[in-house]
Amino acid sequence: MKDIMVYFQHPSDGGQLSVELDGSITAEEIIEELIQNEFVPPSKMGYDLGIKSGPLIQEKQTLTEAGVGNNTVIRVIPATDAGSKRNRYEH
């Protein structure tokens, strides 16, 4: 797969982290990396990933499958238990 330049938007301060990733990485793997690299803290509730002005990326979906292209902004969204059961990356 080809590399894709993406920008992760921090959930609390709106800051962005630019990263070049292989298009075959899944949303679940991305969350693991963001936690390991201390971009976001571990959370019992987990996180969702959402394309800015677009849909959420499913847990097992790759960037390519989600239609993520170069320079896409991906929001890191703290998960809540307010009804949705999608994309709960618990750490």
Side-chain angles (χ1 to χ4, degrees), residues 23-30 32 49 56-66 86-89:
S24 65
I25 192 169
T26 65
E28 183 176 44
E29 293 168 328
I30 291 169
E32 291 280 345
L49 294 179
L56 291 178
I57 302 171
Q58 299 301 307
E59 180 179 357
K60 302 293 183 189
Q61 202 171 27
T62 67
L63 292 180
T64 300
E65 290 169 344
R86 299 183 344 173
N87 296 339
R88 297 299 178 249
Y89 310 113

Side-chain angles (χ1 to χ4, degrees), residues 3-41 47-52 55-59 61-64 66 68-78 89:
D3 287 343
I4 302 169
M5 176 61 73
V6 296
Y7 298 88
F8 291 102
Q9 186 173 21
H10 194 274
S12 60
D13 66 16
Q16 290 189 353
L17 171 68
S18 61
V19 182
E20 192 170 63
L21 297 171
D22 188 286
S24 65
I25 192 169
T26 65
E28 183 176 44
E29 293 168 328
I30 291 169
I31 290 293
E32 291 280 345
E33 290 293 324
L34 291 173
I35 291 170
Q36 287 177 9
N37 288 291
E38 300 180 352
F39 184 67
V40 292
Y47 294 93
D48 292 324
L49 294 179
I51 298 171
K52 188 170 184 177
L56 291 178
I57 302 171
Q58 299 301 307
E59 180 179 357
Q61 202 171 27
T62 67
L63 292 180
T64 300
V68 174
N70 276 320
N71 302 312
T72 297
V73 175
I74 299 174
R75 296 175 296 125
V76 181
I77 307 163
Y89 310 113

